[in-house]
Amino acid sequence: MTSEGLGFQLPAHDRFDRQRAIAWWNQDKLAGTVAMVAGCGALGNEVAKNLALLGVGTLILVDFDRIEISNLARSVLFGPSDLGRPKAEVLAERLAEIFPAGRMIPVVGDLWCDLGLGLLRRSDLVFGCLDSVNARFILNRMALRAGTPWLNGGLGMAACQVSFHHPVGGACYECQATPGMIKRFSERYSCAGLLRMPGNQPVPLTVVPAALCASLMVQEALLFWHERAGGLLPGQRLTAQLAPYRFVVDDLPHDPECCAHGVIDAVELAGDPSQVTAADLLGGKAGTLELGFDLVLSLNCRHCGPATILRPRSKVPLEELWCPDCGSMRSAKWVSDISDKMELATYPLQDLGVPEHHIVRVITVETIRNIELAGSLW
Amino acid sequence: MTDDRISLNLRTLDKSRQAQVTLPIDYTVAELLEASRQNWKLSPDTDYLVRSERLGRQLASRDMVGSCGLVAGDVLEVVPLLEAGA
Ligand SMILES: [Zn+2]
Ligand SMILES: [Zn+2]
């Protein structure tokens, strides 16, 4: 008997033919998937390149930084004509060339104060391609709050690590923190509560571990998206060492007292932060709006008086603590809740540093609501 | 060896450094890391963690070597927490 008439068909002839031939592959699922790449450097380039080649439908690309000459030796999608341009923007353009049917959303800004939690909530998986422990702490907390699992990648000279963290269970990135890591995280802030800007020590690095780490991260993602066994479980970390060759998987210690866990529930949608005020969201009722970050209201010089700041604490560098007029050290005044009694309740939330797609908590005597603000990115 | 001490084999993940140590059972993983740092002059800019080869898990820094599932002769490895990405 021949195979004629048995319904054997050639798969649809398109760019994804070869990967569709994998028995468990679901190209439509990938087309409907939203992935966030946090950090668009060497590792972010490699991860995003893989995701675009595979046909992942929507990629949200986050980085505050601009392309420097030293990035060109490790970042496959950046070239000499891109120097000085925002990494996230250039990456989005190049990925659109690789996969024109994909939707590429660049976010040029800081994880903590420019990335609305709503974008994390809409992501199916986040790829942490960051270059400091502190940034990973921040992404970890944001992803867990948003209820979105994330893969952390880290590079060494001849090794890489991938860990998987899930809001539903297992150790998070912060659970495993040593006292030294926590100390350095808190040292990010001075005793006045303002941001220190430590120069990141450039470490010896090539594209080799970046490419390997990205392959491992995207392999993990493919297993996760296709609900296939064999990958990392939540709270596990893979260390791949190149010299000598070794692959090691460890369960990370879960800390029951870790304060990074806890998903925000039921989210309502509201208007654009350039229009909406705290008073609007409180609907004329007495109550408070929790910004989700500290807002520096003013810096007060005892000689020259107060200067209005109105910026999130993480956007006020420590140097600003010194008065530009007389050089004295100023004291900072900040809030994290806006009550209906405050004049700030009548300001558009954008003027208080609230980014597009951010989620705020609105508390009145009757209700506690999580409200996501609209924006132009989604 | 008495019951209030435990002997362990300690090495770095790349096996470039190793040592046999006998520790009080209430010695913490954090203390062990600090001692490794000093004895082996590990990079001050890197965070290190300790994994148990047999258990296939990372020990918490507050764990005490005598009460976190280790038995005499176990191999512990000091692993760097890799931080670069850009
Ligand atoms: Zn945790
Ligand atoms: Zn002054």
Side-chain angles (χ1 to χ4, degrees), chain A residues 42-43 74 130-131 133 136 155 161 176 181 184 237 246 248 250-252, chain B residues 13-14 47 49 51 53 56-58 61 77 79-86:
Chain A
L43 183 55
R74 292 181 308 281
L130 304 167
D131 64 357
V133 167
R136 287 177 176 88
L155 312 177
Q161 283 168 332
Q176 57 152 354
M181 287 161 71
R184 275 188 293 115
R237 181 189 56 226
R246 254 188 107 183
V248 166
D250 284 316
D251 293 324
L252 302 178
Chain B
L13 187 73
D14 63 6
D47 289 300
L49 308 155
R51 70 177 296 265
E53 162 115 305
R57 68 175 160 87
Q58 178 181 314
S61 51
E77 293 184 311
V79 183
L81 184 70
L82 302 179
E83 196 177 2

PDB file of all heavy atoms in Angstrom, chain A residues 42-43 74 130-131 133 136 155 161 176 181 184 237 246 248 250-252, chain B residues 13-14 47 49 51 53 56-58 61 77 79-86:
ATOM      1  N   ALA A  42      24.174  42.889  24.927  1.00  0.00           N
ATOM      2  CA  ALA A  42      24.664  41.688  24.250  1.00  0.00           C
ATOM      3  C   ALA A  42      23.657  40.546  24.372  1.00  0.00           C
ATOM      4  O   ALA A  42      23.260  39.933  23.374  1.00  0.00           O
ATOM      5  CB  ALA A  42      25.996  41.273  24.861  1.00  0.00           C
ATOM      6  N   LEU A  43      23.239  40.265  25.600  1.00  0.00           N
ATOM      7  CA  LEU A  43      22.319  39.159  25.824  1.00  0.00           C
ATOM      8  C   LEU A  43      20.938  39.456  25.241  1.00  0.00           C
ATOM      9  O   LEU A  43      20.327  38.594  24.598  1.00  0.00           O
ATOM     10  CB  LEU A  43      22.229  38.882  27.338  1.00  0.00           C
ATOM     11  CG  LEU A  43      21.368  37.713  27.786  1.00  0.00           C
ATOM     12  CD1 LEU A  43      21.793  36.419  27.103  1.00  0.00           C
ATOM     13  CD2 LEU A  43      21.433  37.563  29.315  1.00  0.00           C
ATOM     14  N   ARG A  74      29.742  42.834  20.668  1.00  0.00           N
ATOM     15  CA  ARG A  74      28.924  41.771  21.270  1.00  0.00           C
ATOM     16  C   ARG A  74      27.458  41.814  20.863  1.00  0.00           C
ATOM     17  O   ARG A  74      26.711  40.902  21.184  1.00  0.00           O
ATOM     18  CB  ARG A  74      29.001  41.863  22.806  1.00  0.00           C
ATOM     19  CG  ARG A  74      30.340  41.544  23.407  1.00  0.00           C
ATOM     20  CD  ARG A  74      30.301  41.638  24.924  1.00  0.00           C
ATOM     21  NE  ARG A  74      29.746  42.903  25.397  1.00  0.00           N
ATOM     22  CZ  ARG A  74      30.413  44.038  25.447  1.00  0.00           C
ATOM     23  NH1 ARG A  74      31.677  44.070  25.103  1.00  0.00           N
ATOM     24  NH2 ARG A  74      29.828  45.134  25.850  1.00  0.00           N
ATOM     25  N   LEU A 130      19.845  41.667  32.009  1.00  0.00           N
ATOM     26  CA  LEU A 130      20.306  42.857  32.718  1.00  0.00           C
ATOM     27  C   LEU A 130      21.764  42.704  33.112  1.00  0.00           C
ATOM     28  O   LEU A 130      22.328  41.616  32.993  1.00  0.00           O
ATOM     29  CB  LEU A 130      19.427  43.041  33.957  1.00  0.00           C
ATOM     30  CG  LEU A 130      17.934  43.130  33.620  1.00  0.00           C
ATOM     31  CD1 LEU A 130      17.086  42.985  34.869  1.00  0.00           C
ATOM     32  CD2 LEU A 130      17.627  44.446  32.912  1.00  0.00           C
ATOM     33  N   ASP A 131      22.358  43.799  33.603  1.00  0.00           N
ATOM     34  CA  ASP A 131      23.769  43.655  33.940  1.00  0.00           C
ATOM     35  C   ASP A 131      24.110  44.042  35.371  1.00  0.00           C
ATOM     36  O   ASP A 131      25.259  44.335  35.666  1.00  0.00           O
ATOM     37  CB  ASP A 131      24.664  44.358  32.922  1.00  0.00           C
ATOM     38  CG  ASP A 131      24.447  45.843  32.916  1.00  0.00           C
ATOM     39  OD1 ASP A 131      23.570  46.309  33.651  1.00  0.00           O
ATOM     40  OD2 ASP A 131      25.161  46.538  32.180  1.00  0.00           O
ATOM     41  N   VAL A 133      22.946  42.986  39.699  1.00  0.00           N
ATOM     42  CA  VAL A 133      22.075  42.288  40.648  1.00  0.00           C
ATOM     43  C   VAL A 133      20.909  43.199  41.031  1.00  0.00           C
ATOM     44  O   VAL A 133      19.754  42.779  41.122  1.00  0.00           O
ATOM     45  CB  VAL A 133      22.878  41.845  41.896  1.00  0.00           C
ATOM     46  CG1 VAL A 133      21.956  41.407  43.022  1.00  0.00           C
ATOM     47  CG2 VAL A 133      23.824  40.701  41.529  1.00  0.00           C
ATOM     48  N   ARG A 136      18.178  43.237  38.588  1.00  0.00           N
ATOM     49  CA  ARG A 136      17.450  41.959  38.640  1.00  0.00           C
ATOM     50  C   ARG A 136      16.487  41.939  39.823  1.00  0.00           C
ATOM     51  O   ARG A 136      15.392  41.410  39.723  1.00  0.00           O
ATOM     52  CB  ARG A 136      18.439  40.790  38.731  1.00  0.00           C
ATOM     53  CG  ARG A 136      19.173  40.526  37.414  1.00  0.00           C
ATOM     54  CD  ARG A 136      20.184  39.403  37.594  1.00  0.00           C
ATOM     55  NE  ARG A 136      20.843  39.066  36.335  1.00  0.00           N
ATOM     56  CZ  ARG A 136      21.943  39.635  35.867  1.00  0.00           C
ATOM     57  NH1 ARG A 136      22.527  40.599  36.555  1.00  0.00           N
ATOM     58  NH2 ARG A 136      22.465  39.251  34.721  1.00  0.00           N
ATOM     59  N   LEU A 155      25.866  36.451  32.644  1.00  0.00           N
ATOM     60  CA  LEU A 155      27.049  36.045  31.884  1.00  0.00           C
ATOM     61  C   LEU A 155      28.326  36.208  32.690  1.00  0.00           C
ATOM     62  O   LEU A 155      28.469  37.148  33.459  1.00  0.00           O
ATOM     63  CB  LEU A 155      27.186  36.909  30.624  1.00  0.00           C
ATOM     64  CG  LEU A 155      25.954  37.098  29.750  1.00  0.00           C
ATOM     65  CD1 LEU A 155      26.274  38.046  28.605  1.00  0.00           C
ATOM     66  CD2 LEU A 155      25.459  35.760  29.245  1.00  0.00           C
ATOM     67  N   GLN A 161      24.500  31.646  33.329  1.00  0.00           N
ATOM     68  CA  GLN A 161      23.480  31.077  34.208  1.00  0.00           C
ATOM     69  C   GLN A 161      22.107  31.482  33.720  1.00  0.00           C
ATOM     70  O   GLN A 161      21.914  32.600  33.223  1.00  0.00           O
ATOM     71  CB  GLN A 161      23.664  31.586  35.652  1.00  0.00           C
ATOM     72  CG  GLN A 161      24.799  30.882  36.375  1.00  0.00           C
ATOM     73  CD  GLN A 161      25.189  31.542  37.676  1.00  0.00           C
ATOM     74  OE1 GLN A 161      25.026  32.747  37.833  1.00  0.00           O
ATOM     75  NE2 GLN A 161      25.740  30.768  38.584  1.00  0.00           N
ATOM     76  N   GLN A 176      17.140  33.960  47.158  1.00  0.00           N
ATOM     77  CA  GLN A 176      18.472  33.391  47.293  1.00  0.00           C
ATOM     78  C   GLN A 176      19.516  34.432  47.655  1.00  0.00           C
ATOM     79  O   GLN A 176      20.696  34.114  47.733  1.00  0.00           O
ATOM     80  CB  GLN A 176      18.862  32.747  45.961  1.00  0.00           C
ATOM     81  CG  GLN A 176      18.793  33.756  44.839  1.00  0.00           C
ATOM     82  CD  GLN A 176      19.720  33.506  43.670  1.00  0.00           C
ATOM     83  OE1 GLN A 176      20.535  32.610  43.703  1.00  0.00           O
ATOM     84  NE2 GLN A 176      19.568  34.305  42.644  1.00  0.00           N
ATOM     85  N   MET A 181      24.347  40.974  48.959  1.00  0.00           N
ATOM     86  CA  MET A 181      23.546  41.460  47.835  1.00  0.00           C
ATOM     87  C   MET A 181      22.490  42.450  48.319  1.00  0.00           C
ATOM     88  O   MET A 181      22.264  43.500  47.717  1.00  0.00           O
ATOM     89  CB  MET A 181      22.856  40.277  47.134  1.00  0.00           C
ATOM     90  CG  MET A 181      23.810  39.421  46.324  1.00  0.00           C
ATOM     91  SD  MET A 181      23.116  37.776  45.980  1.00  0.00           S
ATOM     92  CE  MET A 181      21.830  38.150  44.806  1.00  0.00           C
ATOM     93  N   ARG A 184      24.083  45.786  49.188  1.00  0.00           N
ATOM     94  CA  ARG A 184      24.408  46.625  48.029  1.00  0.00           C
ATOM     95  C   ARG A 184      23.161  47.197  47.386  1.00  0.00           C
ATOM     96  O   ARG A 184      23.176  48.278  46.828  1.00  0.00           O
ATOM     97  CB  ARG A 184      25.245  45.846  47.013  1.00  0.00           C
ATOM     98  CG  ARG A 184      26.728  45.895  47.363  1.00  0.00           C
ATOM     99  CD  ARG A 184      27.586  45.313  46.277  1.00  0.00           C
ATOM    100  NE  ARG A 184      27.365  43.890  46.146  1.00  0.00           N
ATOM    101  CZ  ARG A 184      26.853  43.322  45.074  1.00  0.00           C
ATOM    102  NH1 ARG A 184      26.529  44.049  44.020  1.00  0.00           N
ATOM    103  NH2 ARG A 184      26.670  42.028  45.039  1.00  0.00           N
ATOM    104  N   ARG A 237      18.029  26.935  38.833  1.00  0.00           N
ATOM    105  CA  ARG A 237      19.017  27.662  38.041  1.00  0.00           C
ATOM    106  C   ARG A 237      19.968  26.677  37.364  1.00  0.00           C
ATOM    107  O   ARG A 237      20.431  25.709  37.974  1.00  0.00           O
ATOM    108  CB  ARG A 237      19.844  28.591  38.938  1.00  0.00           C
ATOM    109  CG  ARG A 237      20.888  29.417  38.143  1.00  0.00           C
ATOM    110  CD  ARG A 237      21.847  30.177  39.029  1.00  0.00           C
ATOM    111  NE  ARG A 237      22.503  29.275  39.931  1.00  0.00           N
ATOM    112  CZ  ARG A 237      22.654  29.496  41.224  1.00  0.00           C
ATOM    113  NH1 ARG A 237      22.234  30.617  41.765  1.00  0.00           N
ATOM    114  NH2 ARG A 237      23.248  28.603  41.990  1.00  0.00           N
ATOM    115  N   ARG A 246      30.811  22.033  31.928  1.00  0.00           N
ATOM    116  CA  ARG A 246      29.942  21.490  32.987  1.00  0.00           C
ATOM    117  C   ARG A 246      28.572  22.133  32.921  1.00  0.00           C
ATOM    118  O   ARG A 246      28.467  23.340  32.709  1.00  0.00           O
ATOM    119  CB  ARG A 246      30.532  21.826  34.352  1.00  0.00           C
ATOM    120  CG  ARG A 246      31.172  20.646  35.036  1.00  0.00           C
ATOM    121  CD  ARG A 246      31.547  21.008  36.447  1.00  0.00           C
ATOM    122  NE  ARG A 246      30.644  20.377  37.394  1.00  0.00           N
ATOM    123  CZ  ARG A 246      30.711  20.581  38.706  1.00  0.00           C
ATOM    124  NH1 ARG A 246      31.584  21.416  39.202  1.00  0.00           N
ATOM    125  NH2 ARG A 246      29.885  19.963  39.512  1.00  0.00           N
ATOM    126  N   VAL A 248      25.182  22.344  35.366  1.00  0.00           N
ATOM    127  CA  VAL A 248      24.730  22.044  36.722  1.00  0.00           C
ATOM    128  C   VAL A 248      23.369  22.707  36.942  1.00  0.00           C
ATOM    129  O   VAL A 248      23.213  23.894  36.657  1.00  0.00           O
ATOM    130  CB  VAL A 248      25.757  22.609  37.739  1.00  0.00           C
ATOM    131  CG1 VAL A 248      25.179  22.620  39.131  1.00  0.00           C
ATOM    132  CG2 VAL A 248      27.046  21.809  37.702  1.00  0.00           C
ATOM    133  N   ASP A 250      20.504  23.567  39.838  1.00  0.00           N
ATOM    134  CA  ASP A 250      20.287  23.624  41.286  1.00  0.00           C
ATOM    135  C   ASP A 250      18.894  24.137  41.622  1.00  0.00           C
ATOM    136  O   ASP A 250      18.377  25.045  40.961  1.00  0.00           O
ATOM    137  CB  ASP A 250      21.309  24.592  41.929  1.00  0.00           C
ATOM    138  CG  ASP A 250      22.685  23.967  42.032  1.00  0.00           C
ATOM    139  OD1 ASP A 250      22.756  22.790  42.423  1.00  0.00           O
ATOM    140  OD2 ASP A 250      23.674  24.646  41.705  1.00  0.00           O
ATOM    141  N   ASP A 251      18.309  23.566  42.679  1.00  0.00           N
ATOM    142  CA  ASP A 251      17.136  24.180  43.306  1.00  0.00           C
ATOM    143  C   ASP A 251      17.647  25.352  44.125  1.00  0.00           C
ATOM    144  O   ASP A 251      18.597  25.198  44.890  1.00  0.00           O
ATOM    145  CB  ASP A 251      16.452  23.182  44.254  1.00  0.00           C
ATOM    146  CG  ASP A 251      15.831  22.019  43.493  1.00  0.00           C
ATOM    147  OD1 ASP A 251      15.330  22.247  42.385  1.00  0.00           O
ATOM    148  OD2 ASP A 251      15.873  20.885  44.016  1.00  0.00           O
ATOM    149  N   LEU A 252      17.000  26.492  43.976  1.00  0.00           N
ATOM    150  CA  LEU A 252      17.407  27.653  44.766  1.00  0.00           C
ATOM    151  C   LEU A 252      16.630  27.655  46.079  1.00  0.00           C
ATOM    152  O   LEU A 252      15.500  27.166  46.130  1.00  0.00           O
ATOM    153  CB  LEU A 252      17.139  28.936  43.972  1.00  0.00           C
ATOM    154  CG  LEU A 252      17.849  29.005  42.616  1.00  0.00           C
ATOM    155  CD1 LEU A 252      17.482  30.289  41.885  1.00  0.00           C
ATOM    156  CD2 LEU A 252      19.353  28.924  42.811  1.00  0.00           C
TER     157      LEU A 252
ATOM    158  N   LEU B  13      33.482  25.850  41.597  1.00  0.00           N
ATOM    159  CA  LEU B  13      32.767  25.136  40.536  1.00  0.00           C
ATOM    160  C   LEU B  13      33.722  24.687  39.427  1.00  0.00           C
ATOM    161  O   LEU B  13      33.568  23.607  38.861  1.00  0.00           O
ATOM    162  CB  LEU B  13      31.670  26.034  39.948  1.00  0.00           C
ATOM    163  CG  LEU B  13      30.741  25.357  38.947  1.00  0.00           C
ATOM    164  CD1 LEU B  13      29.788  24.403  39.656  1.00  0.00           C
ATOM    165  CD2 LEU B  13      29.934  26.381  38.152  1.00  0.00           C
ATOM    166  N   ASP B  14      34.728  25.522  39.117  1.00  0.00           N
ATOM    167  CA  ASP B  14      35.669  25.159  38.054  1.00  0.00           C
ATOM    168  C   ASP B  14      36.783  24.234  38.568  1.00  0.00           C
ATOM    169  O   ASP B  14      37.703  23.892  37.818  1.00  0.00           O
ATOM    170  CB  ASP B  14      36.257  26.407  37.386  1.00  0.00           C
ATOM    171  CG  ASP B  14      37.079  27.254  38.339  1.00  0.00           C
ATOM    172  OD1 ASP B  14      37.304  26.827  39.506  1.00  0.00           O
ATOM    173  OD2 ASP B  14      37.491  28.358  37.940  1.00  0.00           O
ATOM    174  N   ASP B  47      29.401  38.128  43.707  1.00  0.00           N
ATOM    175  CA  ASP B  47      28.706  37.397  44.763  1.00  0.00           C
ATOM    176  C   ASP B  47      28.910  35.912  44.518  1.00  0.00           C
ATOM    177  O   ASP B  47      28.886  35.464  43.368  1.00  0.00           O
ATOM    178  CB  ASP B  47      27.207  37.704  44.731  1.00  0.00           C
ATOM    179  CG  ASP B  47      26.927  39.113  45.194  1.00  0.00           C
ATOM    180  OD1 ASP B  47      27.270  39.416  46.341  1.00  0.00           O
ATOM    181  OD2 ASP B  47      26.383  39.901  44.401  1.00  0.00           O
ATOM    182  N   LEU B  49      27.861  31.788  45.860  1.00  0.00           N
ATOM    183  CA  LEU B  49      26.848  30.983  46.499  1.00  0.00           C
ATOM    184  C   LEU B  49      27.446  29.612  46.719  1.00  0.00           C
ATOM    185  O   LEU B  49      28.444  29.265  46.105  1.00  0.00           O
ATOM    186  CB  LEU B  49      25.631  30.892  45.577  1.00  0.00           C
ATOM    187  CG  LEU B  49      25.125  32.262  45.107  1.00  0.00           C
ATOM    188  CD1 LEU B  49      24.375  32.158  43.809  1.00  0.00           C
ATOM    189  CD2 LEU B  49      24.270  32.902  46.178  1.00  0.00           C
ATOM    190  N   ARG B  51      26.646  25.466  46.657  1.00  0.00           N
ATOM    191  CA  ARG B  51      25.726  24.405  46.258  1.00  0.00           C
ATOM    192  C   ARG B  51      26.226  23.073  46.815  1.00  0.00           C
ATOM    193  O   ARG B  51      27.425  22.862  46.980  1.00  0.00           O
ATOM    194  CB  ARG B  51      25.591  24.321  44.746  1.00  0.00           C
ATOM    195  CG  ARG B  51      26.815  23.794  44.017  1.00  0.00           C
ATOM    196  CD  ARG B  51      26.590  23.678  42.521  1.00  0.00           C
ATOM    197  NE  ARG B  51      25.562  22.704  42.184  1.00  0.00           N
ATOM    198  CZ  ARG B  51      25.805  21.438  41.868  1.00  0.00           C
ATOM    199  NH1 ARG B  51      27.027  20.968  41.833  1.00  0.00           N
ATOM    200  NH2 ARG B  51      24.817  20.636  41.570  1.00  0.00           N
ATOM    201  N   GLU B  53      26.621  19.321  45.926  1.00  0.00           N
ATOM    202  CA  GLU B  53      26.670  18.476  44.732  1.00  0.00           C
ATOM    203  C   GLU B  53      25.660  17.335  44.837  1.00  0.00           C
ATOM    204  O   GLU B  53      24.915  17.058  43.915  1.00  0.00           O
ATOM    205  CB  GLU B  53      28.107  17.929  44.611  1.00  0.00           C
ATOM    206  CG  GLU B  53      28.255  16.729  43.714  1.00  0.00           C
ATOM    207  CD  GLU B  53      29.097  17.053  42.499  1.00  0.00           C
ATOM    208  OE1 GLU B  53      28.729  18.022  41.804  1.00  0.00           O
ATOM    209  OE2 GLU B  53      30.093  16.361  42.278  1.00  0.00           O
ATOM    210  N   GLY B  56      21.953  18.658  44.927  1.00  0.00           N
ATOM    211  CA  GLY B  56      21.559  19.411  43.739  1.00  0.00           C
ATOM    212  C   GLY B  56      20.807  20.677  44.090  1.00  0.00           C
ATOM    213  O   GLY B  56      19.855  21.060  43.437  1.00  0.00           O
ATOM    214  N   ARG B  57      21.221  21.291  45.162  1.00  0.00           N
ATOM    215  CA  ARG B  57      20.591  22.570  45.491  1.00  0.00           C
ATOM    216  C   ARG B  57      21.570  23.551  46.107  1.00  0.00           C
ATOM    217  O   ARG B  57      22.607  23.168  46.664  1.00  0.00           O
ATOM    218  CB  ARG B  57      19.381  22.377  46.389  1.00  0.00           C
ATOM    219  CG  ARG B  57      19.650  21.902  47.797  1.00  0.00           C
ATOM    220  CD  ARG B  57      18.316  21.881  48.570  1.00  0.00           C
ATOM    221  NE  ARG B  57      18.364  21.045  49.731  1.00  0.00           N
ATOM    222  CZ  ARG B  57      18.782  21.460  50.931  1.00  0.00           C
ATOM    223  NH1 ARG B  57      19.221  22.690  51.085  1.00  0.00           N
ATOM    224  NH2 ARG B  57      18.788  20.633  51.953  1.00  0.00           N
ATOM    225  N   GLN B  58      21.180  24.814  45.970  1.00  0.00           N
ATOM    226  CA  GLN B  58      21.966  25.882  46.566  1.00  0.00           C
ATOM    227  C   GLN B  58      21.566  25.995  48.032  1.00  0.00           C
ATOM    228  O   GLN B  58      20.386  25.917  48.351  1.00  0.00           O
ATOM    229  CB  GLN B  58      21.651  27.181  45.824  1.00  0.00           C
ATOM    230  CG  GLN B  58      22.373  28.388  46.369  1.00  0.00           C
ATOM    231  CD  GLN B  58      21.979  29.632  45.600  1.00  0.00           C
ATOM    232  OE1 GLN B  58      21.940  29.635  44.375  1.00  0.00           O
ATOM    233  NE2 GLN B  58      21.657  30.693  46.305  1.00  0.00           N
ATOM    234  N   SER B  61      22.123  31.271  52.701  1.00  0.00           N
ATOM    235  CA  SER B  61      23.295  31.761  53.428  1.00  0.00           C
ATOM    236  C   SER B  61      23.094  31.641  54.936  1.00  0.00           C
ATOM    237  O   SER B  61      24.056  31.570  55.680  1.00  0.00           O
ATOM    238  CB  SER B  61      23.644  33.187  53.011  1.00  0.00           C
ATOM    239  OG  SER B  61      22.526  34.003  53.095  1.00  0.00           O
ATOM    240  N   GLU B  77      30.219  23.144  46.560  1.00  0.00           N
ATOM    241  CA  GLU B  77      30.897  23.929  45.525  1.00  0.00           C
ATOM    242  C   GLU B  77      30.532  25.404  45.656  1.00  0.00           C
ATOM    243  O   GLU B  77      29.361  25.749  45.849  1.00  0.00           O
ATOM    244  CB  GLU B  77      30.508  23.414  44.137  1.00  0.00           C
ATOM    245  CG  GLU B  77      31.053  22.005  43.910  1.00  0.00           C
ATOM    246  CD  GLU B  77      30.771  21.489  42.501  1.00  0.00           C
ATOM    247  OE1 GLU B  77      29.617  21.588  42.044  1.00  0.00           O
ATOM    248  OE2 GLU B  77      31.717  20.978  41.887  1.00  0.00           O
ATOM    249  N   VAL B  79      29.968  28.733  43.884  1.00  0.00           N
ATOM    250  CA  VAL B  79      29.537  29.107  42.530  1.00  0.00           C
ATOM    251  C   VAL B  79      29.418  30.629  42.444  1.00  0.00           C
ATOM    252  O   VAL B  79      28.809  31.239  43.322  1.00  0.00           O
ATOM    253  CB  VAL B  79      28.143  28.486  42.231  1.00  0.00           C
ATOM    254  CG1 VAL B  79      27.688  28.777  40.822  1.00  0.00           C
ATOM    255  CG2 VAL B  79      28.158  26.996  42.509  1.00  0.00           C
ATOM    256  N   PRO B  80      29.969  31.246  41.400  1.00  0.00           N
ATOM    257  CA  PRO B  80      29.762  32.695  41.270  1.00  0.00           C
ATOM    258  C   PRO B  80      28.347  32.988  40.778  1.00  0.00           C
ATOM    259  O   PRO B  80      27.780  32.208  40.012  1.00  0.00           O
ATOM    260  CB  PRO B  80      30.790  33.105  40.200  1.00  0.00           C
ATOM    261  CG  PRO B  80      30.987  31.863  39.378  1.00  0.00           C
ATOM    262  CD  PRO B  80      30.780  30.695  40.306  1.00  0.00           C
ATOM    263  N   LEU B  81      27.764  34.074  41.261  1.00  0.00           N
ATOM    264  CA  LEU B  81      26.471  34.514  40.717  1.00  0.00           C
ATOM    265  C   LEU B  81      26.799  35.454  39.558  1.00  0.00           C
ATOM    266  O   LEU B  81      27.354  36.533  39.763  1.00  0.00           O
ATOM    267  CB  LEU B  81      25.650  35.233  41.785  1.00  0.00           C
ATOM    268  CG  LEU B  81      24.246  35.630  41.324  1.00  0.00           C
ATOM    269  CD1 LEU B  81      23.374  34.401  41.145  1.00  0.00           C
ATOM    270  CD2 LEU B  81      23.599  36.589  42.304  1.00  0.00           C
ATOM    271  N   LEU B  82      26.500  35.023  38.353  1.00  0.00           N
ATOM    272  CA  LEU B  82      26.936  35.771  37.172  1.00  0.00           C
ATOM    273  C   LEU B  82      26.005  36.954  36.945  1.00  0.00           C
ATOM    274  O   LEU B  82      24.785  36.823  36.930  1.00  0.00           O
ATOM    275  CB  LEU B  82      26.985  34.844  35.956  1.00  0.00           C
ATOM    276  CG  LEU B  82      27.921  33.638  36.144  1.00  0.00           C
ATOM    277  CD1 LEU B  82      27.908  32.735  34.931  1.00  0.00           C
ATOM    278  CD2 LEU B  82      29.354  34.109  36.452  1.00  0.00           C
ATOM    279  N   GLU B  83      26.627  38.094  36.731  1.00  0.00           N
ATOM    280  CA  GLU B  83      25.886  39.348  36.804  1.00  0.00           C
ATOM    281  C   GLU B  83      25.862  40.111  35.491  1.00  0.00           C
ATOM    282  O   GLU B  83      24.995  40.953  35.274  1.00  0.00           O
ATOM    283  CB  GLU B  83      26.554  40.222  37.885  1.00  0.00           C
ATOM    284  CG  GLU B  83      25.733  41.365  38.350  1.00  0.00           C
ATOM    285  CD  GLU B  83      26.408  42.158  39.473  1.00  0.00           C
ATOM    286  OE1 GLU B  83      27.536  41.819  39.860  1.00  0.00           O
ATOM    287  OE2 GLU B  83      25.806  43.118  39.930  1.00  0.00           O
ATOM    288  N   ALA B  84      26.816  39.845  34.592  1.00  0.00           N
ATOM    289  CA  ALA B  84      26.885  40.641  33.367  1.00  0.00           C
ATOM    290  C   ALA B  84      25.742  40.260  32.420  1.00  0.00           C
ATOM    291  O   ALA B  84      25.122  39.212  32.562  1.00  0.00           O
ATOM    292  CB  ALA B  84      28.230  40.430  32.680  1.00  0.00           C
ATOM    293  N   GLY B  85      25.477  41.131  31.464  1.00  0.00           N
ATOM    294  CA  GLY B  85      24.408  40.853  30.513  1.00  0.00           C
ATOM    295  C   GLY B  85      24.484  41.771  29.310  1.00  0.00           C
ATOM    296  O   GLY B  85      23.934  41.493  28.260  1.00  0.00           O
ATOM    297  N   ALA B  86      25.190  42.885  29.493  1.00  0.00           N
ATOM    298  CA  ALA B  86      25.217  43.874  28.427  1.00  0.00           C
ATOM    299  C   ALA B  86      26.490  43.730  27.605  1.00  0.00           C
ATOM    300  O   ALA B  86      26.664  44.354  26.598  1.00  0.00           O
ATOM    301  CB  ALA B  86      25.128  45.282  29.003  1.00  0.00           C
TER     302      ALA B  86
END
